[in-house]
Amino acid sequence: MNLTGESKGKKENKILRYVTDILLIIVANSIYALGVNMFVSPNNIAPGGVTGVSVIISSITPVPVGVLIAGINIPLIILGFIFLNRKIMIKTLVSVIVLSVMTDVVMVNIPVYDAKEGNGILAAIFGGLLMGFGLGLNYMRESTTGGTDIINKIVTKFRPTIRLGKLVLITDSFVVAFGLIVYRDLDVIMYAIISIFVQSKIIDVMVYGGQECKFMMIFSEHSSSISEQLLSKNFGVTLLKGEGAYSRSEREVIALAVHKSDYVRVRRVIKETDPRAFVVITGASEVLGEGFQKLE
């Protein structure tokens, strides 16, 4: 294939991926809207972000939730186009439009779960599950549902030392506090916190992978024997060249990533080969490549 043909193929793949992204964003926001209309909004649960603010305002005014989501997002999306990646903001714009239409038009007449007699926790959990799945799918396609996500990303762009997780906690705390002022009901606020927690866990599993991994660095005088044992058990091993700062002697350092389920097996190999080995172990939230998650 000539260069022109390769370029054409890459362009077609890029277009196909973008169309796929848009279709999945539509699916994601349909699922998110289902969580809002079936579980969250009917029970006055404000699950953080612009959706939470919209649910609260809609409960005390005749304005529908979807209209409020769109209205609050308009100035934020404009700011996003000014300060953030335009490709992501186009997807976010599509996301907000789909979410608003799904919430107020398509799913307005679906059956709702009425949390009576202390069953609000079920509404919070299942609403959080659906909304978390929708948000996770959005993030996987480089999109957001707008709102506080845009604010947080703009802040971190100019203040990169501020952690995104801390900003999300702050913005969601303001929404929860707003709900407390309006509803004056601690039960509803606690349900909102449960819903936010469930959302965050679902997002973590979808975006970062459900399989927890460990990254290990092994310092040993018997590194060759340990690496051979690990290779014989089909573990991927990398040998790094190191030098002792005190002794100035060269040594090999073994580096490898392992699934949580394989961690004990690796420890057993190290202990049996060199009980005096020095091992550094850290958690890896995501490992991409052969033997782990596919790099996409």
Side-chain angles (χ1 to χ4, degrees):
M1 184 182 289
N2 57 33
L3 184 61
T4 304
E6 289 180 359
S7 300
K8 184 178 179 181
K10 288 181 179 179
K11 186 176 181 180
E12 288 176 350
N13 288 336
K14 194 173 182 181
I15 293 172
L16 179 62
R17 178 175 291 183
Y18 197 80
V19 171
T20 302
D21 286 348
I22 297 299
L23 291 175
L24 287 175
I25 287 168
I26 293 172
V27 172
N29 285 282
S30 300
I31 296 170
Y32 187 94
L34 182 63
V36 172
N37 280 28
M38 184 175 286
F39 296 104
V40 170
S41 185
N43 298 294
N44 292 334
I45 298 173
V50 165
T51 301
V53 174
S54 300
V55 168
I56 295 169
I57 296 175
S58 181
S59 69
I60 57 176
T61 68
V63 184
V65 173
V67 172
L68 289 165
I69 290 174
I72 296 172
N73 268 297
I74 288 173
L76 298 176
I77 289 174
I78 293 172
L79 286 174
F81 272 106
I82 295 172
F83 295 109
L84 300 177
N85 183 298
R86 297 202 170 191
K87 182 180 176 182
I88 294 176
M89 289 312 304
I90 290 173
K91 291 181 180 179
T92 297
L93 178 60
V94 173
S95 178
V96 170
I97 292 171
V98 173
L99 177 57
S100 299
V101 172
M102 286 290 175
T103 303
D104 280 357
V105 181
V106 179
M107 296 187 181
V108 69
N109 292 319
I110 63 168
V112 300
Y113 180 81
D114 190 3
K116 292 181 179 178
E117 300 179 0
N119 290 326
I121 190 169
L122 293 178
I125 291 172
F126 283 96
L129 283 171
L130 289 171
M131 294 173 70
F133 189 86
L135 283 171
L137 192 54
N138 261 310
Y139 293 154
M140 290 171 69
R141 309 319 297 188
E142 295 183 292
S143 175
T144 72
T145 53
T148 52
D149 283 339
I150 298 174
I151 298 172
N152 295 337
K153 286 186 176 183
I154 291 174
V155 172
T156 53
K157 180 178 180 179
F158 293 100
R159 297 284 185 177
T161 55
I162 300 177
R163 292 188 177 184
L164 184 59
K166 186 178 291 186
L167 279 175
V168 172
L169 179 62
I170 292 171
T171 51
D172 283 347
S173 296
F174 276 114
V175 176
V176 171
F178 180 40
L180 180 60
I181 294 170
V182 173
Y183 296 136
R184 298 184 180 278
D185 186 344
L186 282 176
D187 284 347
V188 172
I189 301 308
M190 288 188 286
Y191 295 151
I193 293 171
I194 291 171
S195 181
I196 292 169
F197 178 78
V198 172
Q199 286 182 60
S200 67
K201 291 301 178 183
I202 296 297
I203 292 168
D204 283 346
V205 170
M206 291 184 65
V207 177
Y208 299 112
Q211 293 183 330
E212 184 182 347
C213 298
K214 299 288 185 181
F215 178 72
M216 306 177 70
M217 295 189 72
I218 306 165
F219 302 81
S220 170
E221 294 180 356
H222 304 280
S223 57
S224 296
S225 298
I226 294 174
S227 61
E228 287 174 8
Q229 288 287 329
L230 293 174
L231 287 170
S232 69
K233 298 180 184 297
N234 297 319
F235 289 108
V237 176
T238 299
L239 294 176
L240 308 175
K241 296 296 181 182
E243 180 180 329
Y246 179 76
S247 64
R248 294 298 176 184
S249 60
E250 292 186 359
R251 63 177 62 186
E252 289 180 327
V253 180
I254 302 171
L256 75 159
V258 296
H259 292 291
K260 186 179 180 180
S261 57
D262 294 322
Y263 169 65
V264 174
R265 291 175 61 203
V266 175
R267 279 193 58 170
R268 186 174 293 121
V269 169
I270 299 169
K271 183 178 180 179
E272 290 174 353
T273 310
D274 182 11
R276 299 183 65 185
F278 184 78
V279 186
V280 179
I281 305 160
T282 62
S285 61
E286 187 173 22
V287 179
L288 306 177
E290 187 175 351
F292 296 89
Q293 278 186 290
K294 185 178 179 182
L295 181 61
E296 296 180 347

